[in-house]
Amino acid sequence: MKPSTRRQRAIAKALTALLPMAPYADTERIRADAGAPHLKTLPPSIAVWLATVAHVRHQHTDYEKLLEEGYDRDSARFFVIDQVNGVLTGWRATRLLDPDEEEE
């Protein structure tokens, strides 16, 4: 689907720059999430980054399982950083999660 608005085009461009080798099914979900109303006030590159991290965390790691086991969000996020970065590396991401950096 061709992006129709300027913001959608900017999101598509940021997504391609961030994740050049991500699978289509994942990029389509990330693109939709980056366009969500709660991210609308953010620059497209930041919206894409936040949507990417959330998508990878929830779809490609043990994050949900850790939450079900009773871990709080911050602890669960800490324990899946390497898994998130592994997926991002596989997708040739131009940015990885830094365990010492607060999420935006």
Side-chain angles (χ1 to χ4, degrees):
M1 181 166 94
K2 187 174 180 182
S4 58
T5 68
R6 185 173 11 171
R7 177 146 179 98
Q8 289 170 332
R9 287 189 300 272
I11 286 171
K13 186 176 180 180
L15 185 56
T16 300
L18 176 65
L19 304 171
M21 299 298 288
Y24 180 77
D26 290 293
T27 59
E28 285 305 293
R29 183 59 200 215
I30 294 165
R31 182 189 327 272
D33 292 348
H38 70 282
L39 297 177
K40 204 168 204 123
T41 61
L42 298 173
S45 61
I46 294 174
V48 165
W49 172 246
L50 294 176
T52 297
V53 171
H55 173 78
V56 172
R57 182 184 293 134
H58 288 276
Q59 300 300 317
H60 297 280
T61 73
D62 296 329
Y63 180 72
E64 296 287 339
K65 184 175 148 191
L66 291 170
L67 293 177
E68 289 171 11
E69 291 175 1
Y71 286 90
D72 63 78
R73 281 180 22 179
D74 288 338
S75 296
R77 287 176 178 192
F78 173 80
F79 288 120
V80 299
I81 285 175
D82 289 340
Q83 288 177 310
V84 171
N85 283 337
V87 171
L88 294 174
T89 298
W91 292 351
R92 303 296 185 255
T94 57
R95 178 178 179 185
L96 299 176
L97 272 180
D98 180 347
D100 298 325
E101 193 174 284
E102 286 287 320
E103 287 190 40
E104 295 167 10

